[in-house]
Amino acid sequence: MTVLKVRHLTTYRYRRPVGFGEHRMMFRPRDSYDQRLIEATMTISPRPSALRWVHDPFGNAVTLVRFDRNAEELVFESRIAVEHFPDPIDFQSEERAKTYPFSYAPEETPDLAPYMVRQCPDPDGELERWARRFLRPGQDTPTGRLLMTLTAAIGESFVYNRRTESGTQDPLTTLRLGRGTCRDFALFMMEAVRSLGFAARFVSGYLYVPTRDGPRHLGGGSTHAWVQVYLPGAGWVEFDPTNGIIGNRDLVRVAVARMPSQAVPLSGTFLGRAEDELGMTVEVQVTSDDPAAG
């Protein structure tokens, strides 16, 4: 067990005092057997006039805030600490799911169905053809090996680059450009495995970058994104195509969703002219209390 601490600072700046619409935050991690939230604080400036918590359709904790004053700067600082329990992945799935293809059980299918439906256009089957390259023609393919190979192939075949623009590019753009952000790679993998009949969902959170691992993981210093794939008997298993991570090692899970747009860490509006906006800065620090992890 390791205690991971996250400081997430977002600052919006404007040329003159502006008003603010409602802002929506997804900063509070999901409690589970492999990560336990032990501390969470939020500092917002200017002080909100109203704040409330809700659970979204996926069970994520969402904070909604409103403001009644104008300001030239809007600052959100989230600090969290979680007990992190790395979950060793040995793909102890049910026997029927150890090789691909397999079918989900009738009692699971209605709940998994929304995560199996492809959400992005692939009119000529380009993405599906890419995914099927990792199958063994005419033979069953070990499920764990298939997903591990596909995860590694994304990290090795595409170039990671940060992008300041909001949003996520569609999978065909990622395939054709050969580059993208962690959110792009997560959506790409999610749609690729869905084309093979897997249930998959998008995960937003944070990445711890331990110096003991030598080269830095890609995506450190900002929010991070990866994928969960549902395997009967193993449940939702983490796959980070940006870094080739299988399982939850170094990953702090905040939100899960069917699509990336449903798991945006922070969103909102301001009331003013477009030219008033000077930009946004984001700083993320993930540290460990475990001396051996440094």
Side-chain angles (χ1 to χ4, degrees):
M1 185 272 291
T2 301
V3 174
L4 296 179
K5 295 184 176 181
V6 180
R7 177 179 180 262
H8 183 164
L9 177 66
T10 305
T11 305
Y12 298 91
R13 293 184 175 86
Y14 303 91
R15 296 183 187 279
R16 63 183 181 88
V18 298
F20 304 105
E22 183 176 77
H23 279 65
R24 183 179 189 270
M25 294 169 283
M26 301 180 80
F27 293 150
R28 187 182 180 91
R30 295 172 67 95
D31 278 300
S32 185
Y33 65 91
D34 59 354
Q35 68 173 32
R36 297 175 187 164
L37 181 64
I38 56 178
E39 180 184 352
T41 61
M42 173 73 67
T43 304
I44 304 173
S45 176
R47 187 182 181 89
S49 59
L51 183 152
R52 65 191 180 98
W53 291 86
V54 299
H55 283 111
D56 71 4
F58 309 103
N60 302 311
V62 180
T63 315
L64 301 172
V65 294
R66 294 176 180 266
F67 301 88
D68 61 2
R69 67 183 70 179
N70 293 2
E72 294 180 351
E73 191 173 79
L74 179 61
V75 181
F76 298 86
E77 182 180 26
S78 167
R79 290 179 180 266
I80 61 171
V82 296
E83 291 180 334
H84 189 68
F85 302 83
D87 188 18
I89 293 301
D90 51 13
F91 293 103
Q92 289 191 12
S93 57
E94 294 179 11
E95 193 63 34
R96 62 186 171 86
K98 289 188 180 298
T99 57
Y100 176 89
F102 66 87
S103 297
Y104 291 115
E107 63 270 19
E108 294 178 324
T109 302
D111 300 307
L112 295 174
Y115 301 103
M116 299 170 67
V117 177
R118 298 179 65 182
Q119 303 293 316
C120 301
D122 186 19
D124 299 319
E126 292 179 67
L127 183 57
E128 184 173 354
R129 284 196 299 275
W130 183 90
R132 289 192 171 277
R133 293 167 43 200
F134 304 98
L135 303 178
R136 301 194 303 188
Q139 304 179 57
D140 288 340
T141 303
T143 303
R145 183 185 303 169
L146 168 62
L147 293 171
M148 292 173 68
T149 303
L150 199 150
T151 302
I154 295 173
E156 294 170 0
S157 302
F158 299 97
V159 176
Y160 171 83
N161 67 287
R162 293 184 183 274
R163 189 175 62 247
T164 56
E165 298 88 352
S166 61
T168 307
Q169 68 189 17
D170 68 86
L172 289 183
T173 299
T174 300
L175 182 61
R176 293 164 183 169
L177 292 179
R179 65 177 183 270
T181 67
C182 59
R183 296 178 72 87
D184 301 331
F185 294 161
L187 178 58
F188 180 89
M189 178 171 178
M190 190 166 63
E191 288 289 284
V193 299
R194 283 174 176 170
S195 77
L196 300 178
F198 289 98
R201 62 188 187 183
F202 182 87
V203 189
S204 177
Y206 302 102
L207 171 68
Y208 171 58
V209 183
T211 56
R212 69 175 187 276
D213 282 358
R216 290 177 60 86
H217 288 328
L218 298 173
S222 63
T223 56
H224 193 52
W226 60 97
V227 178
Q228 287 181 335
V229 179
Y230 188 83
L231 299 177
W236 291 104
V237 180
E238 247 94 2
F239 295 89
D240 176 7
T242 303
N243 296 291
I245 297 174
I246 312 297
N248 71 333
R249 178 176 57 88
D250 300 331
L251 300 173
V252 178
R253 190 184 317 111
V254 172
V256 300
R258 181 173 45 85
M259 287 294 288
S261 59
Q262 299 168 314
V264 177
L266 175 61
S267 60
T269 59
F270 75 94
L271 310 176
R273 297 189 297 264
E275 57 268 25
D276 292 333
E277 188 174 13
L278 294 178
M280 173 188 72
T281 58
V282 179
E283 300 175 35
V284 175
Q285 298 172 322
V286 185
T287 57
S288 171
D289 273 359
D290 180 3

